[in-house]
Amino acid sequence: MAATDIARQAGEGCRTVPLAGHVGFDSLPDQLVNQSISQGFCFNILCVGETGLGKSTLMDTLFNTKFEGEPATHTQPGVQLQSNTYDLQESNVGLKLTIVSTVGFGDQINKEDSYRPIVEFIDAQFEAYLQEELKIRRLLHNYHDSRIHACLYFIAPTGHSLKSLDLVTMKKLDSKVNVIPVIAKSDAISKSELTKFKIKITSELVSNGVQIYQFPTDDEAHLPFAVIGSTEELKIGNKMVKVRQYPWGTVQVENEAHCDFVKLREMLIRVNMEDLREQTHSRHYELYRRCKLEEMGFKDTDPDSKPFSLQETYEAKRNEFLGELQKKEEEMRQMFVQRVKEKEAELKEAEKELHEKFDRLKKLHQDEKKKLEDKKKSLDDEVNAFKQRKTAAELLQSQGSQAGGSQTLKRDKEKKNLGFL
């Protein structure tokens, strides 16, 4: 019998029995509170909006402090995400707060892919958490959870309608993060225009299928929150309040008649922070985890709707991987053999060309040698003929000299006989 069947039968057969006295497990909630306080909490906020909408100022106002961060430059060709983590302490509760801002969002001429770096950043945090979960030795209790729990999407106070950039970005983000739309610098438009603007925004979000975060409490009338941020304080009555001063008057940030800042802080931090964390884990992260595991081949059931064990999945994926590896090895081997054959053919062709060239050069050399030999023979014949002619000439000259000498002696003898000598 499978373990799941045993567990199911055990749950169905569970009986309620009375206790004869106090045991003590009613202190479990207190134990959880103490454990949570000792471990501390983390909360990660993503601020998305165009430059100049007061994102940093609103964060300072929400947490009643001045966050020291590096000043952002807006000269990048694309959207850059800048993350800063701070340790906050209130009473005996510690909070590790991470604020992620989108530097350069909406600054580009072509805003078509402005959402892409934001989606990639959110997925990267999910992937890091998934990799930690898949480790054999997990340290999730000490792991710094960087998953985004809330996305404050800042809308420019135009008073007309949402920009296409806003609609596209929120639509791409709504399945990955808890999107909370806020109208930034809401004191820039009148109260009547603000009411119409809120209705217009809500209608456009619904008609475009954008799923924003649903607060568990019934305060949807304030969505989207019209907020004002300011760290400037002014004494009004007997207390110091945060304000924005104008020539025509003063706007109080924490006055609910002036804006929804107090409602946003209450809904975001004081009431629903844990729900935002839970929604991030149980909804958005689970969706990402399921898709990734399905891509890796993991399933809950086999084709017969029976439980699918992790070992079977591992073995199936391992065999599939080994098969693909063997197939690739065979393809590489065939490719190598083919390349060797091609190289051998190239070498044989080159060798053939070299032999042909050698034969041509050899024949040319032989022809040249024969010509030289013929020329040498011709020259030798001419030299021999010349020598023969020279010898004959010398012989004739010698014979001529001898004949001349004999004739002279004969004439002298004749003259002597005649008495001339």
Side-chain angles (χ1 to χ4, degrees):
M1 184 179 295
T4 52
D5 296 335
I6 296 174
R8 190 181 300 111
Q9 291 181 6
E12 293 173 354
C14 182
R15 295 181 301 166
T16 301
V17 295
L19 301 178
H22 182 261
V23 177
F25 55 79
D26 58 351
S27 66
L28 274 173
D30 297 332
Q31 295 178 38
L32 291 174
V33 169
N34 294 333
Q35 182 182 14
S36 298
I37 291 175
S38 64
Q39 290 178 351
F41 300 88
C42 73
F43 193 61
N44 307 318
I45 301 177
L46 171 64
C47 298
V48 181
E50 298 181 37
T51 303
L53 291 181
K55 300 185 290 293
S56 300
T57 303
L58 183 65
M59 289 298 101
D60 293 345
T61 312
L62 272 174
F63 291 93
N64 202 22
T65 186
K66 177 65 177 176
F67 293 113
E68 298 295 337
E70 296 181 2
T73 59
H74 298 273
T75 58
Q76 296 91 345
V79 180
Q80 304 290 328
L81 278 86
Q82 190 176 83
S83 178
N84 294 292
T85 302
Y86 309 92
D87 286 320
L88 306 180
Q89 188 76 25
E90 188 175 47
S91 299
N92 63 334
V93 178
L95 178 68
K96 188 181 289 292
L97 176 68
T98 299
I99 299 175
V100 182
S101 57
T102 53
V103 181
F105 181 79
D107 291 348
Q108 294 75 35
I109 296 176
N110 184 5
K111 304 176 177 63
E112 183 178 354
D113 292 333
S114 295
Y115 69 88
R116 198 177 302 279
I118 305 173
V119 172
E120 290 174 354
F121 178 85
I122 296 173
D123 285 345
Q125 314 316 307
F126 284 153
E127 182 64 24
Y129 193 89
L130 177 60
Q131 292 301 321
E132 184 65 27
E133 269 194 335
L134 294 177
K135 288 181 179 178
I136 296 176
R137 296 183 61 184
R138 299 182 300 177
L139 299 173
L140 292 175
H141 61 286
N142 289 329
Y143 177 76
H144 174 55
D145 188 0
S146 59
R147 295 173 297 176
I148 301 300
H149 301 122
C151 170
L152 294 181
Y153 194 94
F154 288 71
I155 301 169
T158 61
H160 302 295
S161 61
L162 287 171
K163 300 178 181 179
S164 58
L165 173 64
D166 299 328
L167 286 171
V168 170
T169 304
M170 280 192 277
K171 183 61 180 174
K172 294 293 183 179
L173 295 178
D174 64 359
S175 63
K176 296 179 177 296
V177 69
N178 300 310
V179 179
I180 303 173
V182 296
I183 302 172
K185 296 184 176 181
S186 61
D187 54 338
I189 54 179
S190 65
K191 198 164 187 177
S192 59
E193 290 176 334
L194 184 60
T195 302
K196 294 178 182 177
F197 192 33
K198 282 188 173 185
I199 296 173
K200 181 70 173 175
I201 291 173
T202 304
S203 174
E204 289 181 342
L205 292 175
V206 172
S207 61
N208 286 275
V210 178
Q211 301 293 325
I212 62 175
Y213 172 68
Q214 300 296 317
F215 288 96
T217 53
D218 54 351
D219 265 316
E220 295 183 3
H222 290 84
L223 289 172
F225 295 100
V227 297
I228 303 168
S230 176
T231 55
E232 179 186 358
E233 292 189 339
L234 179 69
K235 188 172 184 180
I236 297 180
N238 296 325
K239 62 177 183 178
M240 301 295 292
V241 295
K242 291 181 175 62
V243 299
R244 292 187 70 88
Q245 296 189 71
Y246 298 96
W248 46 263
T250 301
V251 177
Q252 299 180 29
V253 174
E254 297 178 307
N255 188 334
E256 294 191 49
H258 292 180
C259 70
D260 298 330
F261 172 80
V262 172
K263 208 53 158 175
L264 172 64
R265 183 172 61 187
E266 178 181 351
M267 300 299 292
L268 179 68
I269 301 173
R270 297 179 179 177
V271 178
N272 298 302
M273 180 182 284
E274 184 56 32
D275 185 71
L276 287 163
R277 286 158 42 93
E278 177 60 28
Q279 286 292 320
T280 298
H281 182 79
S282 61
R283 180 186 170 196
H284 301 297
Y285 170 69
E286 282 299 320
L287 176 61
Y288 177 85
R289 177 179 176 274
R290 185 183 69 197
C291 293
K292 291 294 289 186
L293 292 180
E294 286 177 352
E295 287 178 9
M296 296 167 63
F298 292 99
K299 302 176 183 178
D300 290 331
T301 57
D302 60 12
D304 298 328
S305 299
K306 294 181 180 180
F308 207 75
S309 71
L310 184 63
Q311 181 65 26
E312 291 175 354
T313 305
Y314 169 77
E315 290 295 336
K317 293 301 293 183
R318 182 175 180 273
N319 293 334
E320 180 182 350
F321 172 76
L322 291 176
E324 291 179 357
L325 184 62
Q326 187 175 1
K327 182 179 177 181
K328 288 182 179 179
E329 288 179 351
E330 181 63 22
E331 290 176 355
M332 291 180 68
R333 191 183 70 81
Q334 293 293 339
M335 186 183 298
F336 176 76
V337 171
Q338 182 65 26
R339 291 292 298 274
V340 169
K341 289 181 178 179
E342 291 175 357
K343 198 66 178 177
E344 287 179 349
E346 291 176 3
L347 291 173
K348 287 181 179 179
E349 186 65 25
E351 185 180 7
K352 181 181 177 183
E353 291 179 359
L354 285 174
H355 280 299
E356 291 176 352
K357 186 176 181 181
F358 176 75
D359 292 339
R360 289 196 301 270
L361 291 174
K362 184 178 179 181
K363 187 175 183 303
L364 181 62
H365 174 72
Q366 290 174 349
D367 293 342
E368 291 292 331
K369 183 179 179 182
K370 188 174 183 303
K371 288 180 182 179
L372 288 173
E373 289 176 350
D374 293 342
K375 193 171 184 180
K376 182 176 181 296
K377 183 179 179 183
S378 176
L379 288 173
D380 289 342
D381 291 344
E382 289 180 3
V383 169
N384 292 331
F386 174 76
K387 287 180 178 180
Q388 289 175 0
R389 289 196 301 271
K390 181 181 178 184
T391 303
E394 289 176 348
L395 181 62
L396 289 174
Q397 185 179 6
S398 174
Q399 290 175 353
S401 298
Q402 290 177 0
S406 299
Q407 191 69 28
T408 301
L409 288 174
K410 184 178 181 181
R411 281 198 302 268
D412 288 345
K413 186 176 180 182
E414 287 177 354
K415 284 178 178 181
K416 185 176 179 182
N417 291 332
L418 291 175
F420 292 109
L421 295 173

